Amino acid sequence: MDRAVSQSTSSATSTRVVDVLVPVALNQAYSYRVPRGMELHAGDVVAVPLGPREVVAVVWAENANPDPRLHNRLKDIGEKLDVPPLTEELRSLVDWVANYTLSARGMVLRMCLRMGENLGPERLRIGVRLVGQAPKRLTPARRRLIEVVSDGLLHGKSEAAKEAGVSLGVIDGLVDEGTLHVEPMPRPPAPPAPDPSFAQPEFSRQQRSAVDAMRSLAANGSFHVALLDGVTGSGKTEVYFEAIAEVIRRGRQSLILMPEIALTGQFLDRFAQRFGVRPLEWHSELTPRTRARNWAAISAGEAPVVVGARSALFMPYANLGLIVVDEEHDQAYKQDDGAHYHARDMAVVRAHIAKIPIILASATPSVETEVNARKGRYQRVVLPSRFGGAHMPHIEAIDLRREAPARGRFISPRLAEEIRAAIERREQALLFLNRRGYAPLTLCRACGHRFACTICDAWLVDHRFRQRLVCHHCGFSMPRPPACPNCAAEQSLVAVGPGVERLQEEAAALFPDARSMVLSSDLITSIETMRSELNEIAEGRVDIIIGTQLVAKGHHFPRLNLVGVVDADLGLGNGDPRAAERTWQLLNQVIGRAGRDQGRGVGYLQTHQPDHPVMKALVACDREAFYLNEIEARERTLYPPFGRLASLIISAGDRSTAEGFARRLAAVAPRDEHVQLLGPAEAPLAVIKGRYRFRLLVKSARGFDLSEYLRQWLAAGPKTKGNLKLEVDVDPQSFL
């Protein structure tokens, strides 16, 4: 008996065990045996059995003291994948983000592994070439295929079938008969590297000072945060390109984060003009094959510059030397499902871990970034004026209490007259309204019935272009009925309030000879279509642009000199503590589209609150007044960045279950003088997708370890079960 135990112990100690992290919604690592002869190190990407399937995972750590009781139950690692390992820097980032945001480590790792699919060497593509005589039996399908490949060149198998309009079976039949020959397709050559000396621009005196600062930052190569603070049209992009050029010369990689990479074709063109080639892209609209190829290039160090959406932050760069966060203030950097994180803040964390510089660029810095710059934590590099001597737009308020539009109209007489004059000068005008669709509400004049979503606490938005009433929270839609479903009255349904589609209808009536275009995310059918529409505007083939916040994201329209904000008050009345900041940023960015190239830009703010501090600061072009007012208000109320917040959303299929759990959770919250607990209360959007939602808001001092407090609280609190769901959002951006 003793001998058997001794043999078992000896066998256990001779077996090497490692802890492996799996990219699923789990926080802990799992132990696996390393097969004899397999060389493994921390960071290696492997395939392991998990339940009935095999999954991709990453070796996280050596397990020097495995539990001997589990020895016979441990499974072997399946194989080591032929991909570069995840660096210690990236693994540290995964641990940091998971710990800070209370997300499962596996979900953070999932973003690093390109969502975990198709890792390994790129799949070999098969091509076919015409080599033999036509077959005896020549069907119409075979004839079309032979015509496609008649040039004798190698054609991709799938592409040839698609072009000829035939199935792959037709190709296989001609291969069997010797008419076609199968050959492997050559791998596409790697794109040429960006050339840092390709087209060095001429800079103004003010820009040269900023360029020197950027080059010095990049050359230093250690962790340092710089805020590139330049007004709209000042050339921020061209200035930080010089930091990227310096990093390229040093043989390291650069990452440029952008809030809407899929819509920024103009930016990619500007990059190519400066460096001779486009950068590598990373965003959700790429095809799986392109994503696989780009992931491999990034991890192998073959992508000197990557431009991407927030998920690009988690790519396995081989030699990252610089991070740029463009439009650092943009709300799109916040990820609100899965792992809740803010890409700007986590980019600073990654730069700190990697000991590299990071540049935050904006014309309207977030209050958090502005405070860091004022306190000296961030270096501020200023571009105070527009490039080429262009003037900043003149801004006027149109007081809708005195200059109201006609009944049923939303464009005031003065704004309409200014648009008419701009069109006569062959200039473009932009009408901005951050509201998609035709109208935010449809009701019955006869009985007052309002069309609401059946599973959300929200009104249905009228989308005339699609002929549907749509919920913007869950996607539910229905045809616009001919009669009221409540009282059966016909011709009684009326649209209440404007959306961008309704504005286009009004613009067509006011300016029948003008060409107009609506830019709205719900009307985008593809990235290519969107970029084509933006090019049409840039080339002057559109007179009136009518858009949502899409038009505020860095576009350059040479003929645009007039911007009319149809409802400047729209973002101020929703109870959001960031409402003033967001309104200031959005309207500044939108009006900043005007007058960037030729002529003097002008912006008109249609408002019912011309005396609101945000409106007064905008009209006076007094950013200092805005920031002083907003920073003082935040400091007085201990809102970020002078305090910290976390939002806990509890949801369930019925109201009582959600409310009951929220109250039990609140009852066991640890007492701490540094923490204030607000709620539970119904969330502003109380029902989404049929789930009832209650919110707890946790407020703490700035230096308090809020993540650890939440971790201890949730460990001691009641556990979710059934259809109950608890979502934790540290540093929330949305308060709905």
Side-chain angles (χ1 to χ4, degrees):
M1 179 73 175
D2 291 342
R3 185 178 176 185
V5 171
S6 175
Q7 286 179 339
S8 173
T9 304
S10 173
S11 173
T13 55
S14 65
T15 301
R16 187 179 170 207
V17 176
V18 293
D19 289 338
V20 165
L21 192 60
V22 182
V24 294
L26 298 168
N27 199 50
Q28 73 271 29
Y30 288 91
S31 298
Y32 285 85
R33 285 191 304 248
V34 180
R36 291 186 182 278
M38 182 182 288
E39 275 292 321
L40 277 185
H41 303 281
D44 284 339
V45 183
V46 294
V48 297
L50 185 69
R53 60 197 177 102
E54 191 171 73
V55 297
V56 172
V58 175
V59 177
W60 217 248
E62 194 83 22
N63 189 335
N65 299 298
D67 188 339
R69 294 171 299 177
L70 299 178
H71 172 66
N72 293 326
R73 294 164 55 189
L74 291 180
K75 296 180 179 179
D76 286 348
I77 286 176
E79 64 173 319
K80 177 182 175 182
L81 299 186
D82 185 19
V83 298
L86 266 61
T87 62
E88 181 181 357
E89 170 235 317
L90 184 52
R91 301 197 308 276
S92 297
L93 179 70
V94 170
D95 286 336
W96 201 99
V97 172
N99 180 68
Y100 184 83
T101 64
L102 274 70
S103 303
R105 281 194 299 168
M107 291 303 289
V108 182
L109 175 66
R110 193 166 182 255
M111 295 186 287
C112 304
L113 294 180
R114 202 172 36 82
M115 312 311 281
E117 80 282 10
N118 302 326
L119 284 174
E122 187 177 348
R123 183 170 54 86
L124 193 65
R125 294 182 61 215
I126 300 300
V128 291
R129 190 192 305 272
L130 183 64
V131 295
Q133 298 296 319
K136 294 179 181 178
R137 190 171 69 86
L138 194 61
T139 64
R142 287 182 165 187
R143 183 178 290 109
R144 291 198 305 274
L145 181 62
I146 290 173
E147 288 176 0
V148 167
V149 300
S150 61
D151 54 14
L153 301 176
L154 187 63
H155 293 257
K157 186 176 179 181
S158 299
E159 289 81 354
K162 184 176 181 180
E163 186 176 348
V166 302
S167 68
L168 294 176
V170 175
I171 292 181
D172 294 337
L174 290 180
V175 170
D176 292 341
E177 296 198 29
T179 303
L180 300 180
H181 181 255
V182 175
E183 299 176 32
M185 294 284 290
R187 299 192 185 279
D195 179 0
S197 303
F198 180 77
Q200 293 176 301
E202 290 292 325
F203 291 108
S204 68
R205 182 180 57 81
Q206 288 178 336
Q207 285 181 320
R208 279 197 299 272
S209 175
V211 165
D212 290 342
M214 292 291 102
R215 288 173 178 162
S216 175
L217 178 86
N220 187 24
S222 59
F223 173 68
H224 186 77
V225 186
L227 167 61
L228 183 55
D229 184 357
V231 299
T232 54
S234 60
K236 292 185 294 297
T237 303
E238 286 72 16
V239 167
Y240 71 63
F241 276 172
E242 297 312 300
I244 291 168
E246 186 65 32
V247 172
I248 294 172
R249 290 187 183 100
R250 294 171 183 270
R252 303 192 71 180
Q253 294 171 293
S254 298
L255 164 64
I256 307 172
L257 289 178
M258 305 196 77
E260 297 285 352
I261 178 62
L263 305 177
T264 50
Q266 283 186 345
F267 174 87
L268 301 176
D269 292 339
R270 288 163 74 183
F271 186 95
Q273 289 165 9
R274 171 62 182 86
F275 295 102
V277 296
R278 282 190 166 204
L280 183 143
E281 293 183 58
W282 184 267
H283 53 81
S284 60
E285 298 295 327
L286 298 176
T287 64
R289 177 175 291 164
T290 301
R291 286 170 71 84
R293 188 176 297 142
N294 289 1
W295 190 94
I298 290 169
S299 60
E302 297 168 357
V305 183
V306 177
V307 177
R310 56 182 179 246
S311 61
L313 178 64
F314 294 92
M315 290 297 97
Y317 300 93
N319 190 16
L320 188 59
L322 174 70
I323 300 174
V324 178
V325 183
D326 203 358
E327 307 290 0
E328 64 84 26
H329 65 276
D330 200 292
Q331 190 180 353
Y333 282 123
K334 181 65 190 241
Q335 170 80 24
D336 282 325
D337 53 5
H340 293 246
Y341 68 93
H342 197 297
R344 177 201 62 220
D345 298 342
M346 297 306 106
V348 174
V349 171
R350 180 158 195 178
H352 183 265
I353 293 172
K355 299 180 175 61
I356 61 173
I358 178 170
I359 298 167
L360 310 178
S362 178
T364 53
S366 64
V367 171
E368 288 86 345
T369 298
E370 178 68 21
V371 169
N372 278 326
R374 291 184 181 218
K375 290 183 177 292
R377 299 188 189 107
Y378 295 173
Q379 174 190 2
R380 191 194 299 269
V381 180
V382 180
L383 291 169
S385 58
R386 286 187 157 180
F387 179 70
H391 296 284
M392 292 298 293
H394 170 71
I395 303 175
E396 294 183 22
I398 296 177
D399 188 345
L400 293 178
R401 298 170 302 180
R402 299 189 179 95
E403 300 181 71
R407 184 176 178 83
R409 294 293 179 96
F410 304 95
I411 300 172
S412 65
R414 177 149 59 111
L415 179 56
E417 190 55 42
E418 295 294 340
I419 294 172
R420 185 171 289 106
I423 294 172
E424 290 173 357
R425 294 191 301 267
R426 303 186 64 79
E427 296 175 352
Q428 290 172 317
L430 166 63
L431 286 172
F432 173 77
L433 177 63
N434 202 21
R435 186 181 277 151
R436 293 175 287 154
Y438 183 84
L441 173 65
T442 299
L443 59 78
C444 174
R445 274 182 303 210
C447 68
H449 173 73
R450 299 184 175 200
F451 284 81
C453 179
T454 58
I455 54 175
C456 292
D457 185 19
W459 307 121
L460 295 180
V461 178
D462 187 354
H463 283 254
R464 292 287 170 92
F465 290 177
R466 294 160 56 187
Q467 297 295 311
R468 310 284 291 181
L469 300 178
V470 181
C471 175
H472 284 177
H473 300 285
C474 71
F476 168 81
S477 70
M478 59 178 283
R480 193 172 191 271
C484 174
N486 186 56
C487 69
E490 297 184 0
Q491 306 299 318
S492 66
L493 303 185
V494 292
V496 179
V500 285
E501 295 175 16
R502 192 170 193 175
L503 276 187
Q504 187 184 41
E505 183 179 273
E506 183 174 341
L510 288 170
F511 318 107
D513 298 326
R515 299 159 296 179
S516 65
M517 177 183 289
V518 174
L519 291 181
S520 177
S521 59
D522 59 299
L523 300 176
I524 297 174
T525 56
S526 69
I527 293 175
E528 291 74 20
T529 301
M530 184 66 184
R531 289 179 174 171
S532 173
E533 291 176 344
L534 290 171
N535 285 336
E536 280 189 56
I537 296 171
E539 292 165 5
R541 288 184 275 157
V542 176
D543 300 312
I544 302 174
I545 309 143
I546 301 164
T548 62
Q549 62 183 352
L550 275 183
V551 299
K553 297 185 182 292
H555 308 300
H556 180 73
F557 304 135
R559 285 181 50 205
L560 177 61
N561 283 335
L562 185 149
V563 173
V565 179
V566 174
D567 188 351
D569 308 325
L570 186 58
L572 291 174
N574 57 11
D576 185 338
R578 299 182 190 271
E581 177 188 6
R582 287 196 179 130
T583 300
W584 159 265
Q585 290 165 341
L586 183 58
L587 298 189
N588 248 310
Q589 294 283 341
V590 169
I591 294 171
R593 300 308 104 203
R596 295 165 68 96
D597 201 299
Q598 46 191 277
R600 180 71 186 267
V602 61
Y604 293 95
L605 304 172
Q606 292 193 162
T607 174
H608 289 91
Q609 306 177 67
D611 295 324
H612 191 286
V614 171
M615 299 304 155
K616 291 172 73 173
L618 283 166
V619 170
C621 296
D622 190 348
R623 72 176 254 160
E624 184 63 17
F626 167 75
Y627 279 116
L628 282 175
N629 185 69
E630 188 66 14
I631 290 170
E632 189 276 329
R634 299 274 187 97
E635 192 166 18
R636 186 178 65 252
T637 56
L638 293 181
Y639 273 100
F642 302 100
R644 296 193 57 204
L645 293 175
S647 172
L648 282 69
I649 296 289
I650 298 97
S651 63
D654 63 273
R655 189 182 189 281
S656 60
T657 300
E659 183 177 14
F661 183 90
R663 294 193 179 283
R664 292 196 303 275
L665 184 62
V668 298
R671 303 292 181 188
D672 194 298
E673 62 180 6
H674 299 100
V675 177
Q676 181 183 7
L677 182 61
L678 306 173
E682 277 191 326
L685 277 172
V687 186
I688 294 182
K689 296 183 180 179
R691 297 184 64 82
Y692 291 79
R693 306 166 75 242
F694 278 77
R695 185 182 72 184
L696 288 157
L697 197 62
V698 187
K699 189 176 176 184
S700 78
R702 182 178 182 275
F704 183 76
D705 190 346
L706 184 56
S707 298
E708 182 57 28
Y709 173 88
L710 293 169
R711 192 174 293 105
Q712 293 180 11
W713 175 18
L714 297 180
K719 302 298 180 277
T720 58
K721 58 183 179 180
N723 71 352
L724 261 169
K725 186 177 180 182
L726 169 62
E727 284 188 83
V728 180
D729 187 359
V730 179
D731 301 337
Q733 295 290 308
S734 171
F735 290 85
L736 296 179

